[in-house]
Amino acid sequence: MGADPAYRAVVPPIYLSTNYVFPDPSTAGPYDYSRSSNPTRDQLTDALATLEGGVGATAVGTGLAAVTLIAEAFVPGGGRAIVQHDSYGGTWRLFSYLASQDRFEVEFVDFNDEAAFSEALGRGADLVWIETPSNPLLRITDLARTSEKAHAVGAVVVADNTFLTPLLQRPLEHGVDIVVHSTTKFINGHSDVVGGAAIAADPQVHERLRMWANALGLTAGAFDSYLALRGLRTLDARLRVHAENTSALMTLLDGHPAVSKLHWPGLRSHPQHKLAKRQQSGFGSLFSLELVGGAPAVGAFLDGLQIFHLAESLGGVESLICVPATMTHAGMTPEARAEAGISDGLLRFSVGVESADDLMTVVDEALARALAVS
Ligand SMILES: *Cc1c(COP(=O)(O)O)cnc(C)c1O
């Protein structure tokens, strides 16, 4: 991240200036106008590109602005995008809306259904959109194999790495062309800034993203970039506590009589545990579950639940719980949710960095309440 070149400040200053002085009319300095480029935003993108092992990163205003950027830059008019069927609800909605405007064609496919994925590729693809682990069921997609198959038909391959961050998964090393982040989540980590980024493996791809981000006016603000950078400094330390707390909760939840289904890639019972182990260097702190008692049990579990806030989003220092069907994934049609396996009684957890003992205590109490009504 480098120190401040002017006064050697340990924390670099925020450059809020919208414009920069030209040395003379025919020469621009390193910066001219902050939509195009800004020193604070560049510090964030340098750090993200380094962490993901890319040649460059583009920082934009939200995670969905990063999705917009990639869709606009890499799917031509009348082209085709193949999107994982259980990708983030907002990603699903954005691709659906663009397709409904006849901007391009989109096909939502279960990437773990090899035959369905191959058939979809057979109809052609400009863009293939992976999200692994997926939200909220934590399904894993094989990055290397999916990229190889998509490249064979000439598609650009994108992986949404929001759930794991480059410290737990580096998709570019598995053949992916562009990594996308909602920096709102773990990268910033303090639930106080909305942001997004796209990191490219290839200089031409990076240049195209940079150019389109400026042309579409999507670039991130200086203050948001500063906050995301501040969060990034503690990412490694935060992730270690998130992981510790998640493992502790698993000892309580795995096999508990109130729990009918538990989705976390770190469990040996997860259908893709081996794949997760191979392509990730950690299992993340997101998990979801279904309760034996269905809807009444969900009500009892949530009623009086301490520490966990009932809120959307994830990846912050505070523990959160949500009901995807009515919250994060309400933008999907009921049919699309059913198709993606998101039941009305599913609960998604984002484990924070509070005391593990306290988290265990409140979840234990909630499970007892759920069991009592089952
Ligand atoms: C939150 C999220 C997004 C969208 O990001 P915003 O910053 O909310 O626009 C995209 N993908 C995943 C996996 C997310 O969790």
Side-chain angles (χ1 to χ4, degrees):
M1 289 173 203
D4 154 40
Y7 298 109
R8 307 175 66 81
V10 168
V11 176
I14 313 173
Y15 287 92
L16 294 170
S17 186
T18 50
N19 45 356
Y20 293 81
V21 177
F22 278 59
D24 66 71
S26 56
T27 338
Y31 295 98
D32 51 30
Y33 186 58
S34 277
R35 172 167 30 75
S36 322
S37 57
N38 169 280
T40 310
R41 193 195 303 134
D42 282 355
Q43 285 176 342
L44 174 63
T45 52
D46 286 352
L48 291 175
T50 303
L51 289 172
E52 285 288 3
V55 296
T58 307
V60 290
T62 67
L64 279 177
V67 185
T68 303
L69 168 63
I70 294 165
E72 292 296 344
F74 289 96
V75 192
R80 247 173 74 81
I82 299 179
V83 179
Q84 191 171 311
H85 73 152
D86 55 350
S87 51
Y88 176 72
T91 300
W92 184 92
R93 181 178 55 198
L94 174 57
F95 277 102
S96 301
Y97 279 14
L98 288 170
S100 74
Q101 297 278 76
D102 291 331
R103 167 67 182 77
F104 50 70
E105 195 182 299
V106 65
E107 193 173 343
F108 296 101
V109 178
D110 178 354
F111 283 16
N112 284 312
D113 181 340
E114 292 255 348
F117 181 59
S118 296
E119 272 173 41
L121 283 177
R123 292 185 276 276
D126 299 289
L127 187 74
V128 168
W129 193 278
I130 307 169
E131 186 179 315
T132 183
S134 73
N135 179 13
L137 291 170
L138 291 306
R139 294 193 180 112
I140 310 293
T141 297
D142 188 324
L143 290 166
R145 188 150 71 200
T146 307
S147 300
E148 199 180 306
K149 287 175 90 168
H151 285 153
V153 303
V156 170
V157 181
V158 181
D160 186 328
N161 201 23
T162 298
F163 271 30
L164 290 179
T165 84
L167 302 194
L168 301 182
Q169 174 170 269
R170 307 218 311 164
L172 302 181
E173 288 174 358
H174 299 277
V176 164
D177 301 299
I178 303 171
V179 167
V180 64
H181 278 284
S182 167
T183 54
T184 312
K185 316 294 167 55
F186 289 98
I187 300 274
N188 177 60
H190 293 78
S191 314
D192 55 6
V193 61
V194 178
I199 300 107
D202 172 87
Q204 275 173 326
V205 172
H206 169 61
E207 182 49 29
R208 199 174 169 92
L209 290 167
R210 200 194 58 75
M211 188 193 81
W212 274 96
N214 181 47
L216 292 165
L218 300 174
T219 46
F223 195 73
D224 287 356
S225 300
Y226 167 85
L227 284 176
L229 250 184
R230 189 179 65 167
L232 197 55
R233 290 193 185 95
T234 58
L235 180 61
D236 178 60
R238 282 186 282 116
L239 288 187
R240 278 182 272 147
V241 182
H242 282 299
E244 249 173 58
N245 287 352
T246 307
S247 296
L249 285 174
M250 284 302 145
T251 63
L252 183 62
L253 293 163
D254 192 18
H256 193 285
V259 178
S260 58
K261 283 187 189 155
L262 182 58
H263 308 281
W264 186 60
L267 295 172
R268 222 159 289 169
S269 57
H270 186 286
Q272 295 146 311
H273 174 66
K274 283 203 181 110
L275 171 60
K277 224 169 147 173
R278 195 165 73 233
Q279 75 183 14
Q280 303 173 195
S281 46
F283 299 111
S285 47
L286 268 292
F287 67 86
S288 58
L289 58 78
E290 285 182 42
L291 294 168
V292 169
V298 168
F301 188 96
L302 294 175
D303 188 22
L305 179 66
Q306 310 263 318
I307 305 181
F308 285 84
H309 298 290
L310 180 67
E312 295 190 352
S313 197
L314 55 103
V317 291
E318 49 291 291
S319 290
L320 305 177
I321 188 164
C322 82
V323 180
T326 55
M327 297 172 69
T328 49
H329 289 62
M332 287 172 87
T333 61
E335 297 74 37
R337 274 199 302 273
E339 157 81 22
I342 303 166
S343 75
D344 291 349
L346 188 76
L347 286 171
R348 188 193 74 187
F349 295 70
S350 174
V351 182
V353 301
E354 302 90 344
S355 137
D357 288 346
D358 290 351
L359 292 174
M360 300 269 280
T361 304
V362 301
V363 170
D364 202 24
E365 288 166 1
L367 289 168
R369 287 195 300 274
L371 202 54
V373 299
S374 300

PDB file of all heavy atoms in Angstrom, residues 289-314:
ATOM      1  N   LEU A 289     -28.546 -23.548   7.033  1.00  0.00           N
ATOM      2  CA  LEU A 289     -29.132 -24.779   7.572  1.00  0.00           C
ATOM      3  C   LEU A 289     -30.653 -24.749   7.481  1.00  0.00           C
ATOM      4  O   LEU A 289     -31.262 -23.692   7.316  1.00  0.00           O
ATOM      5  CB  LEU A 289     -28.686 -25.013   9.021  1.00  0.00           C
ATOM      6  CG  LEU A 289     -28.970 -23.963  10.089  1.00  0.00           C
ATOM      7  CD1 LEU A 289     -30.413 -24.008  10.577  1.00  0.00           C
ATOM      8  CD2 LEU A 289     -28.044 -24.189  11.284  1.00  0.00           C
ATOM      9  N   GLU A 290     -31.238 -25.949   7.584  1.00  0.00           N
ATOM     10  CA  GLU A 290     -32.680 -26.077   7.702  1.00  0.00           C
ATOM     11  C   GLU A 290     -32.963 -26.780   9.017  1.00  0.00           C
ATOM     12  O   GLU A 290     -32.180 -27.631   9.460  1.00  0.00           O
ATOM     13  CB  GLU A 290     -33.253 -26.878   6.523  1.00  0.00           C
ATOM     14  CG  GLU A 290     -33.283 -26.058   5.242  1.00  0.00           C
ATOM     15  CD  GLU A 290     -33.894 -26.799   4.064  1.00  0.00           C
ATOM     16  OE1 GLU A 290     -34.918 -27.483   4.253  1.00  0.00           O
ATOM     17  OE2 GLU A 290     -33.322 -26.701   2.966  1.00  0.00           O
ATOM     18  N   LEU A 291     -34.073 -26.371   9.640  1.00  0.00           N
ATOM     19  CA  LEU A 291     -34.427 -26.941  10.939  1.00  0.00           C
ATOM     20  C   LEU A 291     -35.475 -28.030  10.766  1.00  0.00           C
ATOM     21  O   LEU A 291     -36.330 -27.951   9.867  1.00  0.00           O
ATOM     22  CB  LEU A 291     -34.962 -25.838  11.851  1.00  0.00           C
ATOM     23  CG  LEU A 291     -33.920 -24.778  12.239  1.00  0.00           C
ATOM     24  CD1 LEU A 291     -34.592 -23.572  12.883  1.00  0.00           C
ATOM     25  CD2 LEU A 291     -32.849 -25.356  13.164  1.00  0.00           C
ATOM     26  N   VAL A 292     -35.408 -29.045  11.624  1.00  0.00           N
ATOM     27  CA  VAL A 292     -36.343 -30.170  11.570  1.00  0.00           C
ATOM     28  C   VAL A 292     -37.793 -29.668  11.652  1.00  0.00           C
ATOM     29  O   VAL A 292     -38.661 -30.143  10.938  1.00  0.00           O
ATOM     30  CB  VAL A 292     -36.046 -31.165  12.734  1.00  0.00           C
ATOM     31  CG1 VAL A 292     -37.148 -32.201  12.863  1.00  0.00           C
ATOM     32  CG2 VAL A 292     -34.700 -31.833  12.516  1.00  0.00           C
ATOM     33  N   GLY A 293     -38.039 -28.662  12.488  1.00  0.00           N
ATOM     34  CA  GLY A 293     -39.409 -28.205  12.724  1.00  0.00           C
ATOM     35  C   GLY A 293     -39.973 -27.238  11.698  1.00  0.00           C
ATOM     36  O   GLY A 293     -41.050 -26.673  11.928  1.00  0.00           O
ATOM     37  N   GLY A 294     -39.266 -26.982  10.581  1.00  0.00           N
ATOM     38  CA  GLY A 294     -39.783 -26.087   9.540  1.00  0.00           C
ATOM     39  C   GLY A 294     -40.030 -24.673  10.030  1.00  0.00           C
ATOM     40  O   GLY A 294     -39.335 -24.194  10.931  1.00  0.00           O
ATOM     41  N   ALA A 295     -41.070 -24.028   9.451  1.00  0.00           N
ATOM     42  CA  ALA A 295     -41.314 -22.606   9.720  1.00  0.00           C
ATOM     43  C   ALA A 295     -41.495 -22.269  11.210  1.00  0.00           C
ATOM     44  O   ALA A 295     -40.904 -21.294  11.688  1.00  0.00           O
ATOM     45  CB  ALA A 295     -42.517 -22.119   8.907  1.00  0.00           C
ATOM     46  N   PRO A 296     -42.271 -23.065  11.996  1.00  0.00           N
ATOM     47  CA  PRO A 296     -42.399 -22.720  13.419  1.00  0.00           C
ATOM     48  C   PRO A 296     -41.038 -22.747  14.137  1.00  0.00           C
ATOM     49  O   PRO A 296     -40.763 -21.912  15.005  1.00  0.00           O
ATOM     50  CB  PRO A 296     -43.326 -23.808  13.983  1.00  0.00           C
ATOM     51  CG  PRO A 296     -43.992 -24.429  12.810  1.00  0.00           C
ATOM     52  CD  PRO A 296     -43.095 -24.237  11.638  1.00  0.00           C
ATOM     53  N   ALA A 297     -40.197 -23.687  13.761  1.00  0.00           N
ATOM     54  CA  ALA A 297     -38.877 -23.789  14.386  1.00  0.00           C
ATOM     55  C   ALA A 297     -38.011 -22.583  14.024  1.00  0.00           C
ATOM     56  O   ALA A 297     -37.254 -22.075  14.858  1.00  0.00           O
ATOM     57  CB  ALA A 297     -38.191 -25.086  13.967  1.00  0.00           C
ATOM     58  N   VAL A 298     -38.145 -22.114  12.782  1.00  0.00           N
ATOM     59  CA  VAL A 298     -37.392 -20.925  12.363  1.00  0.00           C
ATOM     60  C   VAL A 298     -37.803 -19.738  13.234  1.00  0.00           C
ATOM     61  O   VAL A 298     -36.960 -18.990  13.738  1.00  0.00           O
ATOM     62  CB  VAL A 298     -37.619 -20.614  10.856  1.00  0.00           C
ATOM     63  CG1 VAL A 298     -37.080 -19.240  10.484  1.00  0.00           C
ATOM     64  CG2 VAL A 298     -36.966 -21.684   9.990  1.00  0.00           C
ATOM     65  N   GLY A 299     -39.139 -19.602  13.438  1.00  0.00           N
ATOM     66  CA  GLY A 299     -39.647 -18.520  14.286  1.00  0.00           C
ATOM     67  C   GLY A 299     -39.084 -18.609  15.696  1.00  0.00           C
ATOM     68  O   GLY A 299     -38.615 -17.619  16.253  1.00  0.00           O
ATOM     69  N   ALA A 300     -39.094 -19.820  16.258  1.00  0.00           N
ATOM     70  CA  ALA A 300     -38.611 -20.012  17.627  1.00  0.00           C
ATOM     71  C   ALA A 300     -37.102 -19.760  17.712  1.00  0.00           C
ATOM     72  O   ALA A 300     -36.600 -19.187  18.683  1.00  0.00           O
ATOM     73  CB  ALA A 300     -38.934 -21.425  18.096  1.00  0.00           C
ATOM     74  N   PHE A 301     -36.378 -20.186  16.687  1.00  0.00           N
ATOM     75  CA  PHE A 301     -34.922 -20.003  16.662  1.00  0.00           C
ATOM     76  C   PHE A 301     -34.580 -18.509  16.692  1.00  0.00           C
ATOM     77  O   PHE A 301     -33.707 -18.064  17.438  1.00  0.00           O
ATOM     78  CB  PHE A 301     -34.343 -20.655  15.392  1.00  0.00           C
ATOM     79  CG  PHE A 301     -32.836 -20.704  15.353  1.00  0.00           C
ATOM     80  CD1 PHE A 301     -32.150 -21.840  15.753  1.00  0.00           C
ATOM     81  CD2 PHE A 301     -32.092 -19.608  14.907  1.00  0.00           C
ATOM     82  CE1 PHE A 301     -30.755 -21.898  15.720  1.00  0.00           C
ATOM     83  CE2 PHE A 301     -30.705 -19.652  14.875  1.00  0.00           C
ATOM     84  CZ  PHE A 301     -30.031 -20.798  15.282  1.00  0.00           C
ATOM     85  N   LEU A 302     -35.313 -17.741  15.886  1.00  0.00           N
ATOM     86  CA  LEU A 302     -34.997 -16.311  15.752  1.00  0.00           C
ATOM     87  C   LEU A 302     -35.533 -15.482  16.920  1.00  0.00           C
ATOM     88  O   LEU A 302     -34.983 -14.425  17.230  1.00  0.00           O
ATOM     89  CB  LEU A 302     -35.581 -15.762  14.440  1.00  0.00           C
ATOM     90  CG  LEU A 302     -34.977 -16.311  13.151  1.00  0.00           C
ATOM     91  CD1 LEU A 302     -35.732 -15.771  11.943  1.00  0.00           C
ATOM     92  CD2 LEU A 302     -33.489 -15.955  13.047  1.00  0.00           C
ATOM     93  N   ASP A 303     -36.607 -15.985  17.564  1.00  0.00           N
ATOM     94  CA  ASP A 303     -37.268 -15.200  18.606  1.00  0.00           C
ATOM     95  C   ASP A 303     -36.381 -15.123  19.855  1.00  0.00           C
ATOM     96  O   ASP A 303     -36.211 -16.094  20.569  1.00  0.00           O
ATOM     97  CB  ASP A 303     -38.621 -15.866  18.940  1.00  0.00           C
ATOM     98  CG  ASP A 303     -39.441 -15.001  19.875  1.00  0.00           C
ATOM     99  OD1 ASP A 303     -39.194 -13.778  19.939  1.00  0.00           O
ATOM    100  OD2 ASP A 303     -40.318 -15.556  20.569  1.00  0.00           O
ATOM    101  N   GLY A 304     -35.803 -13.946  20.077  1.00  0.00           N
ATOM    102  CA  GLY A 304     -34.940 -13.767  21.248  1.00  0.00           C
ATOM    103  C   GLY A 304     -33.487 -14.127  20.999  1.00  0.00           C
ATOM    104  O   GLY A 304     -32.683 -14.144  21.928  1.00  0.00           O
ATOM    105  N   LEU A 305     -33.136 -14.434  19.743  1.00  0.00           N
ATOM    106  CA  LEU A 305     -31.740 -14.765  19.430  1.00  0.00           C
ATOM    107  C   LEU A 305     -30.830 -13.567  19.736  1.00  0.00           C
ATOM    108  O   LEU A 305     -31.059 -12.462  19.249  1.00  0.00           O
ATOM    109  CB  LEU A 305     -31.617 -15.153  17.942  1.00  0.00           C
ATOM    110  CG  LEU A 305     -30.205 -15.504  17.439  1.00  0.00           C
ATOM    111  CD1 LEU A 305     -29.683 -16.782  18.099  1.00  0.00           C
ATOM    112  CD2 LEU A 305     -30.202 -15.672  15.921  1.00  0.00           C
ATOM    113  N   GLN A 306     -29.830 -13.794  20.567  1.00  0.00           N
ATOM    114  CA  GLN A 306     -28.902 -12.727  20.945  1.00  0.00           C
ATOM    115  C   GLN A 306     -27.717 -12.696  19.976  1.00  0.00           C
ATOM    116  O   GLN A 306     -27.477 -13.651  19.268  1.00  0.00           O
ATOM    117  CB  GLN A 306     -28.354 -12.991  22.351  1.00  0.00           C
ATOM    118  CG  GLN A 306     -29.403 -13.285  23.391  1.00  0.00           C
ATOM    119  CD  GLN A 306     -29.771 -12.059  24.197  1.00  0.00           C
ATOM    120  OE1 GLN A 306     -28.903 -11.282  24.590  1.00  0.00           O
ATOM    121  NE2 GLN A 306     -31.040 -11.872  24.416  1.00  0.00           N
ATOM    122  N   ILE A 307     -26.956 -11.610  20.027  1.00  0.00           N
ATOM    123  CA  ILE A 307     -25.711 -11.374  19.273  1.00  0.00           C
ATOM    124  C   ILE A 307     -25.943 -11.314  17.758  1.00  0.00           C
ATOM    125  O   ILE A 307     -25.591 -10.328  17.122  1.00  0.00           O
ATOM    126  CB  ILE A 307     -24.601 -12.413  19.572  1.00  0.00           C
ATOM    127  CG1 ILE A 307     -24.324 -12.455  21.094  1.00  0.00           C
ATOM    128  CG2 ILE A 307     -23.321 -12.041  18.817  1.00  0.00           C
ATOM    129  CD1 ILE A 307     -23.215 -13.439  21.484  1.00  0.00           C
ATOM    130  N   PHE A 308     -26.524 -12.351  17.171  1.00  0.00           N
ATOM    131  CA  PHE A 308     -26.761 -12.356  15.718  1.00  0.00           C
ATOM    132  C   PHE A 308     -27.804 -11.300  15.363  1.00  0.00           C
ATOM    133  O   PHE A 308     -28.907 -11.318  15.904  1.00  0.00           O
ATOM    134  CB  PHE A 308     -27.292 -13.716  15.264  1.00  0.00           C
ATOM    135  CG  PHE A 308     -26.242 -14.784  15.219  1.00  0.00           C
ATOM    136  CD1 PHE A 308     -25.906 -15.486  16.369  1.00  0.00           C
ATOM    137  CD2 PHE A 308     -25.586 -15.086  14.035  1.00  0.00           C
ATOM    138  CE1 PHE A 308     -24.928 -16.472  16.337  1.00  0.00           C
ATOM    139  CE2 PHE A 308     -24.614 -16.074  13.990  1.00  0.00           C
ATOM    140  CZ  PHE A 308     -24.286 -16.770  15.155  1.00  0.00           C
ATOM    141  N   HIS A 309     -27.464 -10.394  14.463  1.00  0.00           N
ATOM    142  CA  HIS A 309     -28.452  -9.438  13.968  1.00  0.00           C
ATOM    143  C   HIS A 309     -29.197 -10.082  12.805  1.00  0.00           C
ATOM    144  O   HIS A 309     -28.576 -10.738  11.965  1.00  0.00           O
ATOM    145  CB  HIS A 309     -27.775  -8.168  13.426  1.00  0.00           C
ATOM    146  CG  HIS A 309     -27.009  -7.411  14.455  1.00  0.00           C
ATOM    147  ND1 HIS A 309     -27.598  -6.719  15.478  1.00  0.00           N
ATOM    148  CD2 HIS A 309     -25.681  -7.225  14.601  1.00  0.00           C
ATOM    149  CE1 HIS A 309     -26.674  -6.139  16.210  1.00  0.00           C
ATOM    150  NE2 HIS A 309     -25.492  -6.433  15.707  1.00  0.00           N
ATOM    151  N   LEU A 310     -30.516  -9.863  12.761  1.00  0.00           N
ATOM    152  CA  LEU A 310     -31.305 -10.319  11.610  1.00  0.00           C
ATOM    153  C   LEU A 310     -31.106  -9.266  10.526  1.00  0.00           C
ATOM    154  O   LEU A 310     -31.721  -8.195  10.560  1.00  0.00           O
ATOM    155  CB  LEU A 310     -32.783 -10.448  12.000  1.00  0.00           C
ATOM    156  CG  LEU A 310     -33.728 -10.908  10.886  1.00  0.00           C
ATOM    157  CD1 LEU A 310     -33.443 -12.338  10.469  1.00  0.00           C
ATOM    158  CD2 LEU A 310     -35.188 -10.782  11.334  1.00  0.00           C
ATOM    159  N   ALA A 311     -30.209  -9.542   9.601  1.00  0.00           N
ATOM    160  CA  ALA A 311     -29.878  -8.531   8.587  1.00  0.00           C
ATOM    161  C   ALA A 311     -29.316  -9.204   7.352  1.00  0.00           C
ATOM    162  O   ALA A 311     -28.769 -10.309   7.418  1.00  0.00           O
ATOM    163  CB  ALA A 311     -28.848  -7.544   9.146  1.00  0.00           C
ATOM    164  N   GLU A 312     -29.442  -8.503   6.234  1.00  0.00           N
ATOM    165  CA  GLU A 312     -28.831  -8.967   4.986  1.00  0.00           C
ATOM    166  C   GLU A 312     -27.349  -8.645   5.043  1.00  0.00           C
ATOM    167  O   GLU A 312     -26.856  -8.091   6.007  1.00  0.00           O
ATOM    168  CB  GLU A 312     -29.483  -8.256   3.796  1.00  0.00           C
ATOM    169  CG  GLU A 312     -30.944  -8.635   3.653  1.00  0.00           C
ATOM    170  CD  GLU A 312     -31.553  -8.135   2.358  1.00  0.00           C
ATOM    171  OE1 GLU A 312     -30.878  -7.374   1.646  1.00  0.00           O
ATOM    172  OE2 GLU A 312     -32.696  -8.507   2.075  1.00  0.00           O
ATOM    173  N   SER A 313     -26.685  -8.958   3.954  1.00  0.00           N
ATOM    174  CA  SER A 313     -25.251  -8.751   3.821  1.00  0.00           C
ATOM    175  C   SER A 313     -24.486  -9.783   4.646  1.00  0.00           C
ATOM    176  O   SER A 313     -25.091 -10.675   5.271  1.00  0.00           O
ATOM    177  CB  SER A 313     -24.842  -7.334   4.188  1.00  0.00           C
ATOM    178  OG  SER A 313     -23.546  -7.088   3.680  1.00  0.00           O
ATOM    179  N   LEU A 314     -23.187  -9.709   4.617  1.00  0.00           N
ATOM    180  CA  LEU A 314     -22.332 -10.734   5.220  1.00  0.00           C
ATOM    181  C   LEU A 314     -20.906 -10.201   5.264  1.00  0.00           C
ATOM    182  O   LEU A 314     -20.604  -9.160   4.683  1.00  0.00           O
ATOM    183  CB  LEU A 314     -22.386 -12.008   4.361  1.00  0.00           C
ATOM    184  CG  LEU A 314     -22.023 -11.823   2.875  1.00  0.00           C
ATOM    185  CD1 LEU A 314     -20.625 -12.316   2.558  1.00  0.00           C
ATOM    186  CD2 LEU A 314     -23.025 -12.553   1.995  1.00  0.00           C
TER     187      LEU A 314
END
